[in-house]
């Protein structure tokens, strides 16, 4: 409403001047608007935080479980660099070495007796195996002898059976001859032959029947011998296995080197651990022990790695959402106060500590950085090149709460007409605001102080060139 009233007064004044015909007076009434070209600018917005040079690798904490032993030597001091595997601390080994020597003697004495007993049991196993071989050989001999006897009886049986069958055939022939007509002398002769043959046949029959009966007895005896052999084999195998089991069980249960050797191995491991080594390389940042005193807490020292150097910063809660991984950062250290080191935001932790949120800055060149150095970090929360933008003061909101700028368009007489242009805003820095509009072209004049002018007003312009931020 105020702008409209001022505009009406200005128009009335202009009309009066026209009636008087005074052109010079008209020129004197035009306002001068400071304008800058709608152009591409480098937009930068930064925040400054303090930090400390650290390693992104987690600290290596060197501890010991041997809290009962005193520290006899510290080979490094605070700030020294150590390599992985270096012995950094030694503990008193006097009591350990005494315990180990006593236990070694006990084991040696026990092993000597144990070995003697073991050898006796091994001899028992050998004797059982030899006796088993002798007994089995004797049993096998009985089987072999009886099998040979049976084979002889079988041969006798077959020979007498064959002779009997042959004699039976001869008797049958005599019978056929005796059935014919014979003289008294011939019949008497055949009768004598027949009687002799029958007697011989009976002898052959008795012989093969006797052999047959003896074969059956031999088969029975063979079965007995074979069963006895199988039983003997089972028994001697059991005796041998019992002797072996007794020997092996003794070697497991009674050998002093079973439990005592385990105890000795544990003592030797303790002895090795009295030489405390660094698990990885780095700079000693804390020493928690003293020579001559026990390490009661178990903590010996802390080693901070010199690998993967970064700057540890604290981001405030107000700035947290403005900082993202990958943002450009410029780092300064006192040791090189005349230099700036390029880097970027590596990460910001999502968990708040007492002071804020932990942020970590990676630096491209860290050869001059040392663990613990203080650093100043400039984080570029906005760092864009060649962005079409206007002076930050050029943007205002109209009655509809829409972002706008005033564009000054040249008239034919060299004056300029102010025109309200709705815009979309983007990035914003201390000096510039990114704006976009289809009604704006690069090079258009934009009024720097829109609150002093009205839409449609005729003005003169004074062009101010844009400057890079930070210049």
């Amino acid at each position: 409403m105020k702008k409209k009233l001022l505009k009406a007064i200005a128009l009335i004044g202009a009309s009066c001047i026209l009636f008087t015909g005074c052109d010079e007076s008209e020129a004197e009434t035009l306002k001068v608007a400071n304008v800058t070209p709608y152009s591409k600018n480098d937009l930068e917005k930064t925040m400054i935080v303090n930090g400390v040079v650290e390693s992104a690798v987690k600290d290596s904490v060197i501890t010991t479980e041997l809290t009962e032993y005193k520290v006899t030597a510290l080979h490094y001091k605070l700030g020294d660099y150590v390599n992985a595997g270096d012995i950094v601390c030694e503990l008193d080994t006097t009591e350990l070495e005494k315990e180990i020597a006593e236990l070694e003697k006990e084991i040696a004495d026990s092993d000597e007796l144990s070995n003697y007993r073991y050898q006796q049991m091994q001899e028992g196993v050998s004797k059982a195996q030899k006796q088993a071989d002798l007994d089995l050989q004797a049993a096998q001999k009985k089987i072999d002898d009886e099998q040979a006897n049976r084979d002889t009886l079988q041969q006798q049986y077959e020979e007498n059976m064959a002779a009997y069958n042959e004699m039976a055939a001869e008797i049958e022939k005599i019978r056929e001859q005796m059935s014919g007509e014979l003289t008294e002398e011939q019949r008497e002769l055949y009768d004598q032959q027949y009687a002799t043959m029958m007697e011989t046949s009976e002898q052959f029959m008795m012989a093969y029947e006797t052999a047959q009966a003896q074969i059956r007895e031999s088969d029975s005896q063979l079965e007995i011998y074979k069963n006895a052999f199988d039983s003997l084999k089972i028994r001697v195998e059991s005796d041998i296995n019992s002797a072996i089991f007794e020997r092996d069980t003794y070697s497991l249960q009674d050998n002093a080197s079973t439990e005592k050797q385990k105890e000795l191995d544990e003592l030797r491991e303790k002895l090795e651990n009295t030489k405390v080594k660094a698990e990885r390389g780095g700079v000693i940042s804390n020493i928690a022990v003293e020579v001559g005193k026990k390490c009661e807490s178990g903590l010996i020292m802390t080693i901070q790695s010199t690998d993967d150097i970064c700057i540890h910063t604290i981001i405030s809660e107000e700035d947290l959402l403005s900082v993202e991984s990958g943002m450009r950062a410029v780092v300064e250290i006192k040791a090189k106060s005349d230099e700036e080191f390029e880097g970027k935001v590596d990460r910001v932790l999502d968990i708040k500590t007492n002071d804020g949120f932990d942020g970590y800055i990676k630096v491209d060149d860290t050869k001059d950085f040392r663990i613990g150095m203080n650093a100043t970090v400039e984080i570029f929360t906005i760092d864009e090149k060649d962005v079409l933008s206007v002076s930050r003061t050029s943007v205002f909101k109209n009655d509809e709460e829409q972002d706008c700028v005033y564009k000054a368009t040249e008239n034919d007489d060299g004056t300029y007409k102010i025109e309200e242009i709705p815009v979309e805003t983007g990035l914003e820095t201390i000096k510039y605001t990114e704006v976009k509009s289809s009604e704006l072209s690069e090079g258009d004049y934009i009024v720097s102080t829109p609150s002093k002018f009205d839409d449609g007003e005729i003005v003169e312009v004074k062009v101010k060139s844009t400057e890079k931020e930070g210049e």
Side-chain angles (χ1 to χ4, degrees), residues 251-446:
S251 68
L252 291 173
Q253 293 181 351
D254 195 47
N255 194 342
S257 63
T258 303
E259 292 299 326
K260 289 188 176 180
Q261 186 63 46
K262 181 179 178 182
E263 183 181 350
L264 179 60
D265 291 340
E266 290 176 353
L267 289 175
R268 285 173 175 166
E269 184 179 357
K270 273 189 175 183
L271 182 63
E272 179 64 24
N273 290 338
T274 59
K275 291 179 171 55
V276 184
K277 298 178 181 179
E279 293 183 2
R280 62 169 179 251
V283 174
I284 298 175
S285 58
N286 176 53
I287 297 177
V289 294
E290 295 181 32
V291 174
K293 294 184 179 181
K294 294 181 180 180
C295 181
E296 295 180 351
S297 68
L299 175 63
I300 293 179
M301 62 180 60
T302 303
I303 294 179
Q304 192 171 75
S305 173
T306 56
D307 297 330
D308 203 8
I309 292 296
C310 67
I311 311 299
H312 178 200
T313 65
I314 300 297
I315 307 299
S316 67
E317 189 170 347
E318 293 77 13
D319 294 327
L320 176 65
L321 299 181
S322 300
V323 181
E324 297 178 359
S325 296
M327 285 182 170
R328 179 189 170 211
V330 174
V331 178
E332 292 183 1
I333 56 176
K334 292 181 179 179
K336 291 279 186 175
S337 58
D338 57 339
E339 292 186 31
E340 292 183 342
F341 298 87
E342 287 289 329
K344 64 180 180 179
V345 178
D346 183 53
R347 67 191 188 280
V348 179
L349 302 187
D350 292 334
I351 300 175
K352 185 179 180 181
T353 62
N354 293 333
D355 299 323
F357 294 84
D358 292 308
Y360 296 90
I361 312 299
K362 285 291 186 67
V363 182
D364 298 339
D365 180 8
T366 61
K367 67 178 183 296
D368 294 319
F369 286 63
R370 300 292 182 271
I371 300 295
M373 278 185 171
N374 293 318
T376 303
V377 182
E378 184 177 14
I379 299 174
F380 288 74
T381 56
I382 296 176
D383 187 24
E384 299 292 336
K385 307 297 181 184
D386 296 329
V387 178
L388 283 171
S389 53
V390 298
S391 172
R392 187 181 177 205
T393 59
S394 298
V395 181
F396 66 93
K397 290 188 180 293
N398 61 13
D399 293 339
E400 288 76 30
E401 292 297 313
Q402 185 177 15
D403 289 327
C404 298
V405 297
Y406 278 152
K407 180 175 75 171
T409 304
E410 188 176 10
N411 297 317
D412 292 338
D413 60 359
T415 61
Y416 285 79
K417 180 181 179 181
I418 290 177
E419 180 183 1
E420 182 181 292
I421 304 296
V423 294
E424 293 180 10
T425 59
L427 298 174
E428 185 174 308
T429 68
I430 295 176
K431 289 186 65 175
Y432 297 110
T433 299
E434 177 185 11
V435 296
K436 296 178 182 179
S437 174
S438 59
E439 299 180 50
L440 291 178
S441 299
E442 189 173 355
D444 285 346
Y445 287 159
I446 305 299

Side-chain angles (χ1 to χ4, degrees), residues 156-275:
Q156 291 175 357
Y157 168 78
E158 291 173 356
E159 288 175 352
N160 285 296
M161 176 61 76
Y164 172 79
N165 290 334
E166 186 178 348
M167 187 57 67
E170 291 295 328
I171 290 172
E172 187 62 30
K173 289 180 182 180
I174 292 295
R175 283 178 180 174
E176 289 177 358
Q177 291 173 356
M178 290 176 67
S179 64
E181 293 182 2
L182 299 172
T183 63
E184 195 64 34
E185 185 180 352
Q186 288 176 325
R187 185 169 296 279
E188 184 179 350
L189 181 61
Y190 278 130
D191 284 341
Q192 290 176 354
Q193 290 178 342
Y194 181 78
T196 300
M197 287 182 178
M198 284 298 294
E199 184 180 352
T200 302
S201 175
E202 287 177 359
Q203 290 176 350
F204 285 143
M205 183 177 68
M206 289 179 63
Y208 83 69
E209 286 179 346
T210 299
Q212 191 176 42
Q214 290 175 333
I215 286 172
R216 286 195 293 271
E217 290 177 3
S218 181
D219 285 341
S220 178
Q221 190 62 47
L222 271 174
E223 186 67 24
I224 291 171
Y225 286 157
K226 287 180 178 178
N227 288 338
F229 180 88
D230 291 339
S231 297
L232 177 62
K233 188 177 181 181
I234 293 172
R235 179 175 62 79
V236 297
E237 286 180 353
S238 176
D239 291 344
I240 292 171
N241 288 334
S242 294
I244 292 173
F245 178 78
E246 185 179 0
R247 178 200 65 189
D248 293 346
T249 302
Y250 174 76
S251 68
L252 291 173
Q253 293 181 351
D254 195 47
N255 194 342
S257 63
T258 303
E259 292 299 326
K260 289 188 176 180
Q261 186 63 46
K262 181 179 178 182
E263 183 181 350
L264 179 60
D265 291 340
E266 290 176 353
L267 289 175
R268 285 173 175 166
E269 184 179 357
K270 273 189 175 183
L271 182 63
E272 179 64 24
N273 290 338
T274 59
K275 291 179 171 55

